[in-house]
Amino acid sequence: MSGTPSLADCLRSLRAVVFDTDGVVVDSARIHAAAWQGAFDACLSAAGGQRPFDPVTEYLRHVDGRSRLDGAAGFLASRGLDLPLGDPDDAPGTATVWAVAARKEELFTAGVRAHGVAAWPGTVRLLHALRRERVPCAAVSASRHATELMTAAGVIPLFRRVVDGNEARRLGLPGKPDPALFLEAARRLGVPARDTAVLEDALAGVEAGRCGGFGLVVGVDRTVGGGNSAALRRHGADVVVTDPGELLTPGTD
């Protein structure tokens, strides 16, 4: 008869785990992608002669895991659109990079209100197993909404520390692929990076984990058919799973 699941061997030698939020802990990546699509397509239409934003390939390549400003600037540059940076208080629109980022924020907030978000069940099972083993966990995100979303999904109590976009701004931490967010989370847990695992679904995130010297970098590929697995490995993932629940082994009584 099945008993309590245990941690996979790759986690057993580690003393802490840091989780990315969007796409790993909560099912919000699809809302982020749709919001970026709305913001970018308005820009591309205004420029003329541009194909629409691809919410799968281009989302993963240019914006997933990055701050809103970095994501907007990176995608627009990839299409040869040289918009002025603008100011943080620019109204949502298409005239500046900040305006495009503000439009994405507006659309994302509306999407969350309309559809809500839930925690991924496999991730929740892993978090409970880590708690039973007394392995401290932290969550990180470039998004200012991360703490709010995890609270709504009921998983905040499973994390000892959270470093979200609000904290990143307060501390002046650079975004991924710089490892600053992950390193700050490990510091707050009191565990060296070399003894800490990182779980991340974004290419920039696994690259950050590798650059930060973390003991294990796990890529999470939720794309249909595992289409992002090879890229996650190229960017630094030691292991790739389709769901963090795969890092559990079935227990037996």
Side-chain angles (χ1 to χ4, degrees), residues 227-240:
N228 203 37
S229 296
L232 287 167
R233 289 189 177 92
R234 286 197 303 272
H235 281 259
D238 299 302
V239 176
V240 176

Side-chain angles (χ1 to χ4, degrees), residues 47-165:
Q50 292 271 359
R51 69 185 186 280
F53 173 73
D54 185 325
V56 177
T57 303
E58 290 182 307
Y59 173 75
L60 293 171
R61 182 178 300 136
H62 299 296
V63 300
D64 189 23
R66 302 178 188 271
S67 70
R68 281 187 296 122
L69 190 65
D70 288 347
F75 171 73
L76 293 170
S78 77
R79 292 293 193 92
L81 298 180
D82 187 19
L83 296 185
L85 180 61
D87 299 302
D89 57 355
D90 284 353
T94 62
T96 69
V97 178
W98 272 111
V100 175
R103 178 57 176 155
K104 183 268 174 179
E105 172 78 354
E106 185 177 67
L107 292 170
F108 177 77
T109 300
V112 170
R113 287 174 180 165
H115 305 291
V117 295
W120 289 101
T123 302
V124 174
R125 290 195 299 273
L126 177 59
L127 284 164
H128 280 293
L130 289 164
R131 169 170 280 199
R132 285 193 299 271
E133 297 289 336
R134 301 184 183 278
V135 178
C137 297
V140 306
S141 177
S143 172
R144 293 181 298 167
H145 297 285
T147 299
E148 173 190 352
L149 295 178
M150 288 189 293
T151 299
V155 294
I156 277 289
L158 297 173
F159 294 100
R160 187 173 297 182
R161 298 287 185 269
V162 176
V163 183
D164 63 10

Side-chain angles (χ1 to χ4, degrees), residues 8 10-11 23-24 123 126 198-201 216-223 226 228-229 232-233 237-248:
C10 62
L11 289 176
V24 176
T123 302
L126 177 59
V198 164
L199 273 69
E200 173 66 78
D201 68 326
L216 177 70
V217 180
V218 179
V220 179
D221 182 8
R222 297 194 190 274
T223 61
N228 203 37
S229 296
L232 287 167
R233 289 189 177 92
D238 299 302
V239 176
V240 176
V241 297
T242 60
D243 182 88
E246 294 172 26
L247 297 172
L248 295 171

Side-chain angles (χ1 to χ4, degrees), residues 3-49:
T4 303
S6 58
L7 300 177
D9 289 345
C10 62
L11 289 176
R12 287 193 168 278
S13 63
L14 298 168
R15 296 166 47 205
V17 181
V18 177
F19 290 74
D20 173 56
T21 302
D22 294 304
V24 176
V25 177
V26 293
D27 184 12
S28 52
R30 58 190 172 82
I31 304 177
H32 279 293
W36 279 120
Q37 184 174 21
F40 286 143
D41 281 355
C43 236
L44 297 170
S45 177

